[in-house]
Amino acid sequence: MDAVELHGDCAPRFGAVRDAFAANWSQHGEVGASLCVNVGGETVVDLWGGFADEARSRPWERDTIANVYSSTKGVAAVAAAMLVDRGELDVERPVVDYWPEFGQSGKSKIPVRHLLTHEAGLAGLDEKMPDGAALDWDLMVGAFERQAPMWTPGEGMGYHAISYGWLVGEVIRRIDGRTCGEFVRDEIAQQLGVDFYIGLPESEDRRTADLIAAPGAPPIGESADDNLAAKALGLAAPRLAGAVNSREWRAAEYPAANGHGNGRSLATIYAALAQGGGELMSAATMEACGPTERVGREDLVLGFLVRRSLGFILSTAGGRYEWGPNPRTFGHSGAGGSLGFADPDAGIGFGYVMNQMSAGLGADPRWKPMIDAVYASL
């Protein structure tokens, strides 16, 4: 596609952001996408364009949403931080204080913090699970109760690409009584008035964009290897990874991978954090959970340096996750290219959601021009 008709609003000062977003269609094969930027509590960019399906038969509308894959993890991290803020969760306490059955197989001393920072050694499962097991929450939770750490907790960090959802989600459920998806619906989405779901109602299918696989790339999680990365990503394989646009996938709750939203919803959530926690949590909790680095080392699953706070990724200059000039910027990206982040020093909330996936994990070529244009416009 050589050109796209963009819809929405963009403050004149941020015209370069609009241009960078529009260039994704001519330079990177964008099909449909939304971009939203909030600065200092004011929405300065809220744009969308293209199509919600590969056949280009459904326009991407203002209320179109899409699966954001691991950008979901950042929203689940917000839910955990809210429990910290309420005094209901202490991340330094052992997981077993909240979830007693977790203590099997030498896991009794693992603190909740290690689940959020991907240091728990539970990136995958040694136990062979039946096809479609990921649809059964209790079955997967039971498997992780039995699973022994794959490395000494705290001595390594490896992306809990799919397992993060059951691990962090079960802690939230044990504390609050609601599932992570229910908590996000009641306490985040409704509180802020945003479109974000972990567990998508069938009524919203009509406005949900279909994800389009990267050209030549196998479905996420499908691999013949038996290494750590394959085990971590393979929790979504084989059947579910190929059915990401199905009702079955959308309806399930995967707090690691199947949140549905758009640029506006991610930007609004992160804008609240960038403004000192906003309506969601105190400034002290936001500071402790978001921009404060807890671990920074080569990720055993991803194979490159990642800096992490409590459930969030921190921007790293010159790294795969470079989101502007501020090292205190925190957020989360998703496989294929979605991204949400907060820069608490510049007061920025950023959200980008698309349906044309790019290959690989980590940096997406569409990010940098848009982010650079945001900072150049300040």
Side-chain angles (χ1 to χ4, degrees):
M1 182 181 291
D2 295 328
V4 64
E5 181 182 359
L6 294 181
H7 305 276
D9 300 302
C10 179
R13 180 180 172 186
F14 290 84
V17 180
R18 180 189 180 99
D19 293 343
F21 181 49
N24 287 340
W25 274 265
S26 59
Q27 297 179 14
H28 300 295
E30 196 83 276
V31 175
S34 59
L35 172 68
C36 186
V37 182
N38 184 293
V39 179
E42 177 186 358
T43 298
V44 296
V45 177
D46 186 6
L47 297 170
W48 61 91
F51 295 91
D53 61 336
E54 189 170 13
R56 293 174 170 80
S57 64
R58 291 192 293 135
W60 188 293
E61 306 283 4
R62 185 184 190 278
D63 67 346
T64 297
I65 55 177
N67 188 170
V68 301
Y69 269 121
S70 286
S71 293
T72 311
K73 290 184 178 72
V75 180
V78 174
M82 291 174 72
L83 292 178
V84 170
D85 193 59
R86 297 171 184 182
E88 298 178 40
L89 172 61
D90 181 345
V91 299
E92 300 302 333
R93 285 175 59 181
V95 176
V96 294
D97 285 0
Y98 306 102
W99 174 8
E101 300 88 344
F102 178 84
Q104 301 173 49
S105 304
K107 303 195 299 298
S108 62
K109 295 183 179 179
I110 295 178
V112 174
R113 170 169 51 86
H114 284 168
L115 302 184
L116 291 161
T117 58
H118 302 255
E119 296 179 274
L122 298 170
L125 289 172
D126 294 317
E127 181 178 341
K128 183 172 177 58
M129 303 301 289
D131 191 29
L135 287 169
D136 188 329
W137 183 274
D138 291 336
L139 182 65
M140 295 302 295
V141 164
F144 279 103
E145 290 172 351
R146 296 185 293 273
Q147 175 67 37
M150 295 176 164
W151 62 81
T152 302
E155 294 185 9
M157 178 183 70
Y159 189 35
H160 290 40
I162 309 298
S163 61
Y164 173 102
W166 292 296
L167 296 170
V168 174
E170 183 65 8
V171 170
I172 290 171
R173 189 182 73 84
R174 294 293 180 115
I175 292 171
D176 183 75
R178 289 172 288 185
T179 67
C180 184
E182 291 168 344
F183 186 96
V184 167
R185 178 196 65 202
D186 298 343
E187 305 290 346
I188 299 176
Q190 291 183 7
Q191 179 73 12
L192 297 178
V194 299
D195 268 340
F196 197 89
Y197 302 86
I198 303 176
L200 186 71
E202 187 173 5
S203 60
E204 309 309 313
D205 279 347
R206 59 174 180 76
R207 63 190 183 95
T208 301
D210 292 336
L211 285 193
I212 304 167
I220 289 175
E222 291 193 1
S223 172
D225 297 331
D226 191 36
N227 57 26
L228 186 57
K231 286 184 177 180
L233 294 168
L235 290 173
R239 186 164 59 95
L240 294 179
V244 68
N245 298 319
S246 70
R247 172 92 299 266
E248 185 179 49
W249 168 271
R250 292 172 178 175
E253 288 193 24
Y254 302 103
N258 85 328
H260 285 74
N262 51 31
R264 188 181 312 107
S265 56
L266 288 179
T268 302
I269 292 169
Y270 281 108
L273 302 183
Q275 299 302 306
E279 302 172 61
L280 300 179
M281 67 190 74
S282 68
T285 298
M286 185 282 296
E287 184 70 24
C289 295
T292 300
E293 182 176 332
R294 301 302 181 109
V295 60
R297 56 163 64 108
E298 181 173 314
D299 188 290
L300 297 171
V301 171
L302 298 175
F304 52 81
L305 171 68
V306 184
R307 299 170 59 231
R308 298 188 188 278
S309 57
L310 293 180
F312 302 100
I313 295 170
L314 288 161
S315 179
T316 302
R320 298 283 189 97
Y321 302 116
E322 182 177 16
W323 304 327
N326 187 352
R328 282 165 38 84
T329 293
F330 64 96
H332 218 291
S333 60
S338 67
L339 173 63
F341 69 74
D343 181 339
D345 295 332
I348 294 172
F350 179 99
Y352 165 69
V353 172
M354 72 310 125
N355 59 354
Q356 175 59 68
M357 300 179 66
S358 61
L361 298 172
D364 188 290
R366 293 167 288 191
W367 294 345
K368 184 173 172 54
M370 296 187 294
I371 294 171
D372 286 351
V374 171
Y375 282 91
S377 301
L378 297 178

